[in-house]
Amino acid sequence: MSKWPIGVFTSIDAGLGVHLGVAAELNVPSVQIHAPHKDTRSPEAAAEFLGKCADAGITVTAVFGGFEGESYADIPTTVRTVGLVPEETRAARIQEMKEISDFTALLGCDTVALHIGFVPEDRSGESYRGLIDGTRDLLDHVAANGQQLNLETGQESAEHLLDFIGDVQRDNLFINFDPANMILYGTGDPIDALKKVGHLVRSIHCKDATWAAEGLRGTEWGAEVPLGEGDVGMETYLRTLDELGYAGPLTIEREIAHDPEKQKSDIGQAVRLLESLRESIG
Ligand code: MG
């Protein structure tokens, strides 16, 4: 692939992405997909999806795991329900993530990705140690499939994410950088964060957001907005990626699945914005 192919975050039957048809209609050459429900993770479903991708000239660059019972309703609910952090569901979700890795292999894709959840602060605590062990177990399965795992950013600071990845001690654990999440969760300036973790960034989201009011950051959500209309600064974001040597897909994410018409038109505008920035920077 040439430098910075445009991408779109898509869904088959789960998650907040657009359908593949939207990517095809916009002539976008790459997609990340949200893993489909268990029943749709069959070899037949993989073959059917790959056929549609081939017809549209689309490459699948990453498959994101997601689980029943996760809710992003507000930040405290997200802490309680998302990823591999909640202890009561951890073992079952690690098992499901291994199955998602196997489905990803059926798609001929070398990258799985995940919101791991809010990594516990205390690096000597039992929950943190358990998370390390579970992540290693998952990564060994992912490695056996010839894959890497990219962690979505935003739920912790850049520093804490680096500590966690260092503590896991596996060479197939990387980062999917989402600048808007740093703003939405109030975990730090996205460009500063990108510079800190850039050496581990293997995939990215192009998403934009505005900060929550001062004093509420980290407690209440900021707002996700169309690309270029938020506080990320798309030109600075792409220039920083360029300086870091990132040449992979620019995958647009617009998480308003409740309004598919606006979702599609916002993504169309985002494609044009990224193409023009790529022209002037890349
Ligand atoms: Mg994202």
Side-chain angles (χ1 to χ4, degrees):
M1 267 197 208
S2 55
K3 182 181 173 182
W4 288 356
I6 308 289
V8 177
F9 192 86
T10 57
S11 287
I12 297 175
D13 59 15
L16 298 176
V18 292
H19 281 280
L20 191 69
V22 174
E25 207 176 306
L26 294 169
N27 270 320
V28 164
S30 79
V31 294
Q32 293 184 348
I33 67 167
H34 188 288
H37 293 302
K38 195 180 180 73
D39 293 347
T40 344
R41 290 198 296 261
S42 62
E44 297 74 24
E48 188 193 336
F49 188 74
L50 275 182
K52 287 183 194 164
C53 288
D55 289 346
I58 289 173
T59 303
V60 179
T61 61
V63 178
F64 264 74
F67 310 105
E68 289 293 327
E70 291 186 323
S71 168
Y72 293 84
D74 51 40
I75 292 181
T77 307
T78 308
V79 172
R80 216 176 50 244
T81 64
V82 168
L84 305 184
V85 173
E87 291 175 41
E88 23 342 314
T89 49
R90 184 181 291 154
R93 286 180 175 180
I94 288 171
Q95 177 54 35
E96 180 162 16
M97 201 57 209
K98 289 178 182 176
E99 293 166 17
I100 289 170
S101 162
D102 296 343
F103 178 74
T104 304
L106 293 175
L107 292 176
C109 177
D110 66 0
T111 302
V112 285
L114 181 67
H115 272 280
I116 201 163
F118 285 70
V119 174
E121 288 288 333
D122 178 7
R123 289 169 70 196
S124 58
E126 209 172 299
S127 181
Y128 185 89
R129 300 308 313 169
L131 184 64
I132 297 277
D133 290 343
T135 306
R136 286 176 178 162
D137 175 31
L138 171 59
L139 284 167
D140 293 344
H141 184 95
V142 165
N145 277 331
Q147 297 161 337
Q148 60 185 10
L149 172 67
N150 294 356
L151 297 182
E152 175 87 344
T153 54
Q155 296 171 339
E156 46 282 309
S157 67
E159 292 79 3
H160 195 45
L161 185 60
L162 287 178
D163 285 342
F164 177 72
I165 291 174
D167 287 342
V168 172
Q169 296 179 316
R170 288 293 184 277
D171 61 7
N172 61 333
L173 183 58
F174 295 100
I175 289 173
N176 181 87
F177 192 84
D178 185 325
N181 281 353
M182 307 302 297
I183 293 175
L184 290 168
Y185 289 90
T187 39
D189 177 83
I191 305 301
D192 289 349
L194 177 58
K195 288 176 182 167
K196 286 179 188 145
V197 304
H199 58 293
L200 293 173
V201 170
R202 292 293 184 279
S203 57
I204 65 150
H205 286 161
C206 291
K207 188 170 89 187
D208 215 341
T210 54
W211 293 96
E214 198 91 47
L216 293 176
R217 292 176 190 177
T219 318
E220 284 190 17
W221 289 124
E224 197 219 332
V225 298
L227 204 72
E229 295 179 16
D231 295 327
V232 169
M234 275 306 133
E235 178 164 356
T236 310
Y237 180 46
L238 291 197
R239 284 195 190 282
T240 307
L241 287 167
D242 198 35
E243 284 161 21
L244 290 164
Y246 178 82
L250 307 178
T251 304
I252 299 160
E253 206 179 16
R254 184 72 175 113
E255 299 180 310
I256 49 167
H258 57 276
D259 190 348
E261 280 310 307
K262 179 159 170 55
Q263 188 180 32
K264 186 162 124 185
S265 95
D266 286 355
I267 290 171
Q269 276 189 41
V271 169
R272 290 187 286 279
L273 173 65
L274 291 175
E275 283 174 346
S276 116
L277 286 169
R278 184 176 59 186
E279 182 80 23
S280 60
I281 300 168

